[in-house]
């Protein structure tokens, strides 16, 4: 429950920041060109709101709605998600959006996207300035990697050290490494001190690689216990900090990779059971073989895992065994580095969108639950700001798509007007807004239904 609340708070804070800045972009250009803004709200307020206020001599009512699905900036004389058709029946006023030149209306529409994009670049720059860029080079992971069965069918072997592809050397272990493998013709590994080149099949899918459990490839991490949670199954069984897990239910464990694989098997057994308390307890009762740091002896302990099949220990990470490389940035140096980092993130995100148009990709769509789960289970400001920057870039790109009801849809019609000199009729724009809004609601329902089905274990 604590993890859920921490992630929920991070998600709500990030969304609030991004919505305020996005709508603030529309607000800024509206005011710049003398367009009246009637309402400026964080979150939606159908039927009622949490609070609102209108400053003296102001044209704008500010407030907070109760439905945290976004926010809005109600601009006079604009056909938007408010569907205020009555206002559009009145004669156009000089302070209205529809009375302004097309190029001004285009900047008002693109204001939110521009602010979100530049906000992301600014956050990435400040993250690099404050924390620097720290990572373990792939070539330095001298204990090698663990591969799943799909990778082994291609030719990879446990213990291989990834070197690079025909396109260049690997730098860090992240999603870009996976992308490089998918796009590669060949991958080089260091095996038993010798360089080996493996030919990659042409049908590799990044989406499949990321969804596979166990993962396609992970750094080999010895099953050393960094810490033990008080009152956890591990603590009650007598497992100590510095001990090493060597087997689970009789299956040898040479790493946390293998331990997690065996726990995944228990999850499968639990999902396939009838779900009774007796079935759950049968799966949760496990035998764990532990090598004691104090004595060097191996003891086999009987314990009951948590309902989530957790042991209650802090696992060791790559940082325990490898010295990371840290690049520090001065204040002015951080901006070009942040811009490059943000553009690389955007490029990867856009490239991955091709998977959305596959049946497997549609099943992988995630809603608010999936987005919230991307935040760390503990409050980590660096990870929070990185995630907020990523969502800001994602929000900017999704909003610029040429779908009616999105900023990109409005911009498309404005570009048409600028090129042809003809403005689409208000009746057409209203119908387009309804169609676009329906598409967005459908996508939102599918994405959040996928979250629910995954939570229930059906996907």
């Amino acid at each position: 429950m604590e993890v859920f609340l921490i992630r929920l708070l991070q998600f709500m804070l990030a969304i609030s920041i991004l919505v305020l800045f996005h709508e603030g972009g529309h607000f800024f250009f509206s005011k710049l060109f003398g367009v009246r803004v009637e309402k400026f709200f964080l979150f939606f307020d159908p039927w009622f709101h949490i609070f609102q206020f209108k400053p003296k001599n102001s044209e704008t009512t500010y407030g907070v709605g109760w439905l945290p699905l976004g926010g809005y900036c109600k601009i006079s004389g604009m056909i938007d998600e408010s569907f205020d058709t009555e206002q559009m029946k009145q004669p156009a006023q000089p302070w209205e959006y529809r009375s302004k030149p097309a190029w001004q209306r285009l900047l008002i529409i693109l204001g939110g996207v521009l602010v979100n994009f530049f906000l992301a670049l600014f956050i990435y720059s400040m993250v690099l300035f404050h924390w620097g860029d720290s990572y373990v080079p792939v070539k330095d992971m001298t204990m090698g990697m663990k591969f799943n069965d799909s990778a082994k069918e291609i030719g990879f072997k446990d213990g291989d050290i990834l070197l690079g592809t025909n396109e260049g050397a690997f730098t860090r272990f992240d999603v870009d490494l996976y992308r490089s493998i998918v796009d590669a013709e060949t991958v080089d590994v260091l095996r038993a001190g010798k360089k080996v080149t493996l030919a990659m099949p042409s049908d590799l899918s990044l989406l499949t690689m990321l969804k596979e459990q166990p993962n396609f490839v992970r750094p080999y991490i010895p099953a050393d216990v960094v810490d033990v949670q008080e009152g956890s199954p591990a603590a009650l069984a007598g497992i100590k900090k510095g001990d090493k897990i060597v087997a689970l239910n009789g299956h040898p464990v040479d790493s946390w990779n293998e331990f997690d694989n065996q726990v995944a098997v228990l999850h499968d057994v639990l999902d396939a059971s009838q779900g009774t308390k007796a079935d759950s307890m049968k799966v949760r009762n496990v035998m764990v073989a532990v090598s004691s740091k104090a004595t060097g002896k191996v003891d086999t302990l009987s314990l009951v895992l948590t309902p989530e099949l957790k042991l209650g220990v802090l696992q060791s990470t790559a940082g325990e065994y490898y010295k990371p490389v840290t690049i520090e940035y001065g204040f002015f140096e951080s901006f070009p580095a942040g811009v490059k980092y943000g553009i690389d993130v955007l490029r990867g995100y856009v490239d991955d969108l091709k998977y959305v148009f596959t049946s497997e990709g549609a099943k992988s769509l995630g809603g608010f639950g999936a987005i919230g789960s991307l935040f760390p289970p503990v409050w980590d400001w660096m990870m929070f700001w990185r995630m907020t920057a990523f969502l800001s870039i994602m929000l900017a790109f999704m909003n610029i798509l040429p779908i009616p009801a999105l900023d990109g849809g409005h911009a498309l019609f404005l570009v048409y007007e600028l090129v042809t000199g003809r403005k689409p009729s208000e009746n057409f724009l209203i119908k387009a807004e309804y169609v676009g809004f329906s598409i967005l609601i459908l996508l939102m329902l599918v994405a959040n239904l996928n979250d629910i089905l995954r939570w229930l274990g059906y996907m």
Side-chain angles (χ1 to χ4, degrees):
M1 187 62 179
E2 181 183 354
V3 169
F4 171 78
L5 289 176
I6 290 173
R7 281 180 165 152
L8 177 63
L9 287 172
Q10 291 181 88
F11 173 72
M12 293 297 293
L13 178 58
I15 290 298
S16 298
I17 292 170
L18 298 183
V19 168
L20 284 173
F21 273 91
H22 180 89
E23 301 303 332
H26 296 308
F27 184 91
F28 171 79
F29 282 104
S30 296
K31 290 295 186 181
L32 181 65
F33 299 129
V35 175
R36 183 174 296 176
V37 177
E38 299 174 13
K39 298 179 74 174
F40 186 92
F41 264 64
L42 172 64
F43 305 151
F44 296 127
D45 62 333
W47 305 296
F48 67 94
H49 50 262
I50 296 176
F51 79 89
Q52 69 175 24
F53 69 98
K54 187 175 184 179
K56 188 176 180 180
N57 300 323
S58 174
E59 303 163 340
T60 308
T61 299
Y62 302 88
V64 176
W66 63 272
L67 189 60
L69 301 181
Y72 68 98
C73 182
K74 178 68 175 69
I75 300 172
S76 293
M78 177 181 173
I79 298 170
D80 58 13
E81 63 272 13
S82 68
F83 299 108
D84 187 0
T85 56
E86 290 303 315
Q87 183 185 68
M88 305 306 294
K89 294 177 183 178
Q90 306 301 318
Q93 301 298 322
W95 62 79
E96 288 186 334
Y97 169 86
R98 55 180 165 166
S99 301
K100 300 300 178 180
W103 69 271
Q104 292 186 3
R105 284 180 276 133
L106 183 61
L107 283 174
I108 291 172
I109 286 299
L110 295 180
V113 169
L114 290 172
V115 167
N116 277 135
F117 181 67
F118 287 114
L119 174 64
L121 300 183
F122 177 76
I123 292 175
Y124 280 131
S125 299
M126 291 300 95
V127 167
L128 292 175
F129 169 64
H130 189 273
W131 285 284
D133 186 13
S134 184
Y135 65 97
V136 176
V138 174
K139 64 180 179 61
D140 292 348
M141 296 181 177
T142 54
M143 289 187 290
M145 283 75 184
K146 293 280 286 188
F147 298 87
N148 68 7
D149 291 339
S150 299
K152 289 175 181 177
E153 289 176 4
I154 296 173
F156 292 101
K157 292 184 178 181
D158 286 342
D160 285 352
I161 302 173
L162 293 173
L163 298 177
T165 73
N166 54 292
E167 296 293 330
F170 294 124
T171 304
R172 62 184 76 198
F173 199 98
D174 57 13
V175 70
D176 285 335
L177 180 141
Y178 279 78
R179 291 193 186 102
S180 297
I181 293 176
V182 168
D183 296 335
E185 296 178 3
T186 60
V187 172
D188 296 328
V189 300
L190 189 65
R191 182 180 298 168
K194 296 182 179 179
K195 180 179 175 181
V196 176
T197 300
L198 305 174
M200 294 296 104
S202 59
D203 60 349
L204 276 179
S205 165
L206 176 65
L207 185 62
T208 302
M209 290 173 69
L210 293 176
K211 289 182 65 177
E212 284 179 333
Q213 291 298 328
N215 300 126
F216 186 89
V217 57
R218 297 154 295 164
Y220 171 86
I221 306 294
D224 297 324
V225 176
V226 174
D227 205 354
V228 180
Q229 298 173 3
E230 187 177 349
S232 67
L236 296 175
I239 297 176
K240 307 290 185 184
K241 177 180 178 180
D243 291 349
K244 182 189 292 287
I245 309 297
V246 296
L248 177 61
N249 284 343
H251 297 280
V253 169
D254 65 351
S255 62
W256 284 121
N257 315 76
E258 187 59 37
F259 180 85
D260 291 340
N261 292 351
Q262 294 303 321
V263 171
V265 171
L266 295 180
H267 274 289
D268 291 340
V269 174
L270 190 60
D271 292 340
S273 69
Q274 297 180 4
T276 65
K277 186 175 181 180
D279 290 333
S280 175
M281 288 303 297
K282 186 177 180 180
V283 175
R284 290 167 57 194
N285 275 279
V286 298
M287 304 296 292
V288 180
V290 180
S291 175
S292 171
K293 179 183 180 182
T295 65
K297 293 174 55 179
V298 175
D299 295 316
T300 300
L301 310 173
S302 176
L303 54 86
V304 181
L305 299 176
T306 69
E308 297 80 22
L309 302 185
K310 299 293 186 182
L311 182 59
V313 300
L314 181 62
Q315 299 182 0
S316 55
T317 63
E320 310 284 335
Y321 308 98
Y322 306 118
K323 183 178 180 181
V325 171
T326 301
I327 304 174
E328 302 287 349
Y329 293 94
F331 182 74
F332 293 106
E333 292 175 317
S334 68
F335 287 99
V339 169
K340 181 181 182 303
Y341 189 94
I343 291 175
D344 287 344
V345 169
L346 177 61
R347 185 183 295 115
Y349 177 73
V350 172
D351 185 58
D352 295 345
L353 279 181
K354 61 178 177 284
Y355 296 106
V356 174
F357 302 102
T358 65
S359 59
E360 194 64 27
K363 294 177 184 177
S364 300
L365 285 174
F368 299 111
I371 296 173
S373 67
L374 296 176
F375 287 93
V378 294
W379 200 286
D380 183 322
W381 280 111
M382 182 181 73
M383 293 302 297
F384 168 80
W385 286 116
R386 281 185 179 274
M387 191 63 213
T388 300
F390 172 72
L391 291 179
S392 193
I393 276 187
M394 186 172 71
L395 181 62
F397 181 80
M398 294 302 292
N399 261 286
I400 203 62
L401 293 177
I403 300 174
L406 290 178
D407 294 341
H410 292 287
L412 178 65
F413 297 136
L414 285 166
V415 170
Y416 168 83
E417 181 181 346
L418 284 168
V419 172
T420 65
R422 296 194 300 270
K423 184 178 181 181
S425 70
E426 290 181 356
N427 185 49
F428 170 81
L429 293 176
I430 290 172
K431 290 180 178 178
E433 191 77 11
Y434 274 113
V435 171
F437 196 74
S438 299
I439 292 172
L440 295 180
I441 292 296
L442 179 61
L443 288 173
M444 188 178 296
L445 288 174
V446 170
N448 286 284
L449 178 60
N450 284 350
D451 283 351
I452 295 171
L453 292 176
R454 277 190 286 267
W455 180 67
L456 293 175
Y458 290 106
M459 289 183 66

